[in-house]
Amino acid sequence: MITGAAGAPRLIVTADDFGASISVNAAIERGHRDGILTCASLMVAGEAAADAVARARRLPGLGVGLHLVLVEGRPVLPPSAVPDLVDAHGRFRTNMARAGATIFFKPAARRQLAAEIRAQFEAFARTGLTLDHVNAHKHFHLHPTIAGLVLRIGRQFGLRAARAPIEPLAPVAAVEPARATLAGRIAAPYARLLARRLRRAGVRVPDAVFGLAWSGAMTPARVAGLVAHLPSGVSELYVHPAERDDWPGHAPGYAYRAELEALIAPATRDAVAARGVRLIRFSDWTEGVGA
């Protein structure tokens, strides 16, 4: 999917959590067919992963990437193969700080992590879908150990583009008064380090990423406003659409239905047209189409 004039700002619009739920999958399909959504990031072990893959095969214009899940989800490998990464119920831990420390300090955990990351890349490859991009649930690939493994293993599976969540504050503040959050200030140095590391390895990274300040609250007005204030270069806007706000596994407080509406709202499409924004997938960029 490529729209807009040459030389205009380029925008990749990505939905995370593809495969988490039928409600999420249906919203992603609608956001692509009827709206501005260009990409989706697949949870290969998600409850509705098979449904997501089936939908993706019907949507050849949708760029599908791997949404690595290493926290708040279930592994592809049996829990017995990754005991240092999971809780008593066989699910990844929810405390990211503790999980990150375990990965950093415990060699056995790092070996298990490498095996799980490889297993998720392999699971994606088995779908037969072309790998459009890679990112991680909760941006856990900001962890230097995870980033290194993603690069090393991802190269073997065609990794060419990834997300480094660096959100410039000025376009956000132009839409609504905003200030950097504590979490954002802590994450920003790691995101910049990740971007440099990926680019040195030949992996393309958008110049700006939007979705952090208003994660789970990307309303139609906010999305249209961001489109109107996009910086030059390539930006990524990531969202979490679903047909219901209360689907099993939802994050409390997230306005999933509003995020779907933001993708398909006439005001959003009007903003894209008015600014002349070029809507692209990661693969359009890495293949030089619309570069």
Side-chain angles (χ1 to χ4, degrees):
M1 173 189 291
I2 305 176
T3 67
R10 287 157 289 170
L11 179 63
I12 298 163
V13 185
T14 308
D16 285 352
D17 302 344
F18 197 28
S21 163
I22 297 294
S23 179
V24 172
N25 296 350
I28 287 172
E29 180 169 359
R30 187 177 177 199
H32 177 67
R33 289 188 184 277
D34 301 335
I36 66 169
L37 188 69
T38 64
C39 295
S41 303
L42 177 66
M43 291 176 152
V44 292
E47 298 292 338
D51 175 80
V53 172
R55 291 175 191 268
R57 289 173 179 157
R58 299 197 300 265
L59 301 169
L62 181 69
V64 182
L66 174 60
H67 194 52
L68 280 165
V69 177
L70 302 166
V71 64
E72 294 185 4
R74 63 182 185 181
V76 168
L77 294 174
S80 59
V82 287
D84 293 308
L85 307 181
V86 298
D87 60 20
H89 302 287
R91 297 182 64 84
F92 290 122
R93 296 185 171 89
T94 59
N95 188 318
M96 293 179 66
R98 183 172 295 179
T102 298
I103 290 166
F104 188 82
F105 290 109
K106 194 168 184 178
R110 291 195 295 275
R111 290 192 294 271
Q112 295 165 28
L113 176 70
E116 175 63 25
I117 289 174
R118 178 174 294 278
Q120 293 192 31
F121 271 102
E122 289 173 345
F124 187 96
R126 286 194 296 272
T127 69
L129 299 171
T130 299
L131 183 67
D132 182 80
H133 61 275
V134 174
N135 53 50
H137 193 49
K138 302 290 184 179
H139 303 308
F140 209 14
H141 61 311
L142 291 179
H143 191 296
T145 302
I146 296 174
L149 289 170
V150 168
L151 271 173
R152 177 166 64 81
I153 296 167
R155 285 192 188 99
Q156 302 167 38
F157 293 89
L159 170 62
R160 293 194 293 173
R163 176 189 300 160
I166 302 171
E167 185 172 53
L169 190 58
V172 176
V175 179
E176 291 181 19
R179 64 178 63 183
T181 64
L182 176 59
R185 288 196 296 269
I186 292 172
Y190 292 97
R192 288 192 290 269
L193 178 62
L194 174 65
R196 290 195 296 270
R197 192 173 183 180
L198 290 168
R199 287 175 177 137
R200 283 198 303 267
V203 177
R204 284 202 166 182
V205 179
D207 302 300
V209 173
F210 297 99
L212 282 77
W214 298 321
S215 185
M218 298 297 288
T219 62
R222 285 171 169 171
V223 170
L226 285 173
V227 168
H229 293 90
L230 282 178
S232 59
V234 176
S235 297
E236 181 189 10
L237 169 67
Y238 74 92
V239 292
H240 302 87
E243 291 190 323
R244 296 175 50 183
D245 286 340
D246 61 347
W247 55 271
H250 72 282
Y254 268 41
Y256 294 97
R257 289 181 296 175
E259 297 213 350
L260 170 57
E261 181 61 31
L263 295 173
I264 62 177
T268 302
R269 296 195 297 272
D270 290 347
V272 168
R275 184 74 192 279
V277 171
R278 305 191 77 195
L279 295 174
I280 63 171
R281 303 166 298 187
F282 283 94
S283 56
D284 296 321
W285 186 29
T286 57
E287 293 168 6
V289 181

PDB file of all heavy atoms in Angstrom, residues 142 180-192:
ATOM      1  N   LEU A 142      14.248  -3.237  23.851  1.00  0.00           N
ATOM      2  CA  LEU A 142      15.165  -2.196  24.322  1.00  0.00           C
ATOM      3  C   LEU A 142      16.251  -2.783  25.227  1.00  0.00           C
ATOM      4  O   LEU A 142      17.314  -2.188  25.385  1.00  0.00           O
ATOM      5  CB  LEU A 142      14.400  -1.112  25.091  1.00  0.00           C
ATOM      6  CG  LEU A 142      13.457  -0.215  24.278  1.00  0.00           C
ATOM      7  CD1 LEU A 142      12.762   0.773  25.203  1.00  0.00           C
ATOM      8  CD2 LEU A 142      14.208   0.514  23.183  1.00  0.00           C
ATOM      9  N   ALA A 180       7.267  14.998  28.677  1.00  0.00           N
ATOM     10  CA  ALA A 180       7.897  13.684  28.727  1.00  0.00           C
ATOM     11  C   ALA A 180       7.564  12.990  30.050  1.00  0.00           C
ATOM     12  O   ALA A 180       7.620  13.593  31.115  1.00  0.00           O
ATOM     13  CB  ALA A 180       9.406  13.815  28.571  1.00  0.00           C
ATOM     14  N   THR A 181       7.182  11.730  29.961  1.00  0.00           N
ATOM     15  CA  THR A 181       6.897  10.956  31.164  1.00  0.00           C
ATOM     16  C   THR A 181       8.192  10.395  31.747  1.00  0.00           C
ATOM     17  O   THR A 181       9.227  10.332  31.071  1.00  0.00           O
ATOM     18  CB  THR A 181       5.958   9.787  30.841  1.00  0.00           C
ATOM     19  OG1 THR A 181       6.623   8.888  29.942  1.00  0.00           O
ATOM     20  CG2 THR A 181       4.669  10.288  30.199  1.00  0.00           C
ATOM     21  N   LEU A 182       8.121   9.967  33.005  1.00  0.00           N
ATOM     22  CA  LEU A 182       9.290   9.364  33.630  1.00  0.00           C
ATOM     23  C   LEU A 182       9.702   8.101  32.870  1.00  0.00           C
ATOM     24  O   LEU A 182      10.891   7.890  32.592  1.00  0.00           O
ATOM     25  CB  LEU A 182       8.989   9.011  35.091  1.00  0.00           C
ATOM     26  CG  LEU A 182      10.106   8.278  35.861  1.00  0.00           C
ATOM     27  CD1 LEU A 182      11.375   9.110  35.892  1.00  0.00           C
ATOM     28  CD2 LEU A 182       9.631   7.943  37.282  1.00  0.00           C
ATOM     29  N   ALA A 183       8.716   7.270  32.502  1.00  0.00           N
ATOM     30  CA  ALA A 183       9.024   6.050  31.758  1.00  0.00           C
ATOM     31  C   ALA A 183       9.679   6.377  30.422  1.00  0.00           C
ATOM     32  O   ALA A 183      10.620   5.709  29.993  1.00  0.00           O
ATOM     33  CB  ALA A 183       7.752   5.236  31.548  1.00  0.00           C
ATOM     34  N   GLY A 184       9.178   7.437  29.781  1.00  0.00           N
ATOM     35  CA  GLY A 184       9.753   7.837  28.505  1.00  0.00           C
ATOM     36  C   GLY A 184      11.170   8.331  28.646  1.00  0.00           C
ATOM     37  O   GLY A 184      12.035   8.027  27.810  1.00  0.00           O
ATOM     38  N   ARG A 185      11.436   9.091  29.711  1.00  0.00           N
ATOM     39  CA  ARG A 185      12.796   9.590  29.922  1.00  0.00           C
ATOM     40  C   ARG A 185      13.763   8.441  30.215  1.00  0.00           C
ATOM     41  O   ARG A 185      14.919   8.471  29.786  1.00  0.00           O
ATOM     42  CB  ARG A 185      12.811  10.602  31.071  1.00  0.00           C
ATOM     43  CG  ARG A 185      12.159  11.928  30.725  1.00  0.00           C
ATOM     44  CD  ARG A 185      12.525  13.006  31.724  1.00  0.00           C
ATOM     45  NE  ARG A 185      12.023  12.713  33.051  1.00  0.00           N
ATOM     46  CZ  ARG A 185      10.844  13.111  33.517  1.00  0.00           C
ATOM     47  NH1 ARG A 185      10.042  13.810  32.736  1.00  0.00           N
ATOM     48  NH2 ARG A 185      10.451  12.818  34.737  1.00  0.00           N
ATOM     49  N   ILE A 186      13.291   7.438  30.929  1.00  0.00           N
ATOM     50  CA  ILE A 186      14.150   6.287  31.229  1.00  0.00           C
ATOM     51  C   ILE A 186      14.414   5.469  29.968  1.00  0.00           C
ATOM     52  O   ILE A 186      15.535   5.016  29.719  1.00  0.00           O
ATOM     53  CB  ILE A 186      13.495   5.405  32.309  1.00  0.00           C
ATOM     54  CG1 ILE A 186      13.463   6.154  33.641  1.00  0.00           C
ATOM     55  CG2 ILE A 186      14.235   4.073  32.460  1.00  0.00           C
ATOM     56  CD1 ILE A 186      12.670   5.457  34.723  1.00  0.00           C
ATOM     57  N   ALA A 187      13.378   5.294  29.150  1.00  0.00           N
ATOM     58  CA  ALA A 187      13.506   4.447  27.963  1.00  0.00           C
ATOM     59  C   ALA A 187      14.254   5.126  26.828  1.00  0.00           C
ATOM     60  O   ALA A 187      14.880   4.436  26.004  1.00  0.00           O
ATOM     61  CB  ALA A 187      12.120   4.025  27.484  1.00  0.00           C
ATOM     62  N   ALA A 188      14.203   6.454  26.759  1.00  0.00           N
ATOM     63  CA  ALA A 188      14.750   7.168  25.603  1.00  0.00           C
ATOM     64  C   ALA A 188      16.211   6.846  25.308  1.00  0.00           C
ATOM     65  O   ALA A 188      16.562   6.587  24.143  1.00  0.00           O
ATOM     66  CB  ALA A 188      14.554   8.668  25.778  1.00  0.00           C
ATOM     67  N   PRO A 189      17.119   6.842  26.294  1.00  0.00           N
ATOM     68  CA  PRO A 189      18.517   6.517  25.963  1.00  0.00           C
ATOM     69  C   PRO A 189      18.674   5.119  25.391  1.00  0.00           C
ATOM     70  O   PRO A 189      19.478   4.897  24.477  1.00  0.00           O
ATOM     71  CB  PRO A 189      19.236   6.656  27.316  1.00  0.00           C
ATOM     72  CG  PRO A 189      18.357   7.523  28.144  1.00  0.00           C
ATOM     73  CD  PRO A 189      16.965   7.203  27.714  1.00  0.00           C
ATOM     74  N   TYR A 190      17.898   4.158  25.915  1.00  0.00           N
ATOM     75  CA  TYR A 190      17.968   2.791  25.392  1.00  0.00           C
ATOM     76  C   TYR A 190      17.429   2.736  23.965  1.00  0.00           C
ATOM     77  O   TYR A 190      17.944   1.984  23.123  1.00  0.00           O
ATOM     78  CB  TYR A 190      17.183   1.847  26.302  1.00  0.00           C
ATOM     79  CG  TYR A 190      17.804   1.656  27.657  1.00  0.00           C
ATOM     80  CD1 TYR A 190      17.376   2.390  28.753  1.00  0.00           C
ATOM     81  CD2 TYR A 190      18.838   0.743  27.851  1.00  0.00           C
ATOM     82  CE1 TYR A 190      17.950   2.228  30.006  1.00  0.00           C
ATOM     83  CE2 TYR A 190      19.417   0.564  29.101  1.00  0.00           C
ATOM     84  CZ  TYR A 190      18.961   1.312  30.176  1.00  0.00           C
ATOM     85  OH  TYR A 190      19.533   1.153  31.415  1.00  0.00           O
ATOM     86  N   ALA A 191      16.384   3.516  23.685  1.00  0.00           N
ATOM     87  CA  ALA A 191      15.820   3.539  22.335  1.00  0.00           C
ATOM     88  C   ALA A 191      16.809   4.128  21.346  1.00  0.00           C
ATOM     89  O   ALA A 191      16.957   3.621  20.215  1.00  0.00           O
ATOM     90  CB  ALA A 191      14.515   4.332  22.332  1.00  0.00           C
ATOM     91  N   ARG A 192      17.502   5.195  21.742  1.00  0.00           N
ATOM     92  CA  ARG A 192      18.495   5.785  20.842  1.00  0.00           C
ATOM     93  C   ARG A 192      19.657   4.826  20.612  1.00  0.00           C
ATOM     94  O   ARG A 192      20.172   4.702  19.492  1.00  0.00           O
ATOM     95  CB  ARG A 192      18.993   7.115  21.414  1.00  0.00           C
ATOM     96  CG  ARG A 192      17.945   8.240  21.319  1.00  0.00           C
ATOM     97  CD  ARG A 192      18.559   9.590  21.623  1.00  0.00           C
ATOM     98  NE  ARG A 192      18.908   9.718  23.033  1.00  0.00           N
ATOM     99  CZ  ARG A 192      18.093  10.205  23.960  1.00  0.00           C
ATOM    100  NH1 ARG A 192      16.873  10.595  23.637  1.00  0.00           N
ATOM    101  NH2 ARG A 192      18.491  10.307  25.218  1.00  0.00           N
TER     102      ARG A 192
END
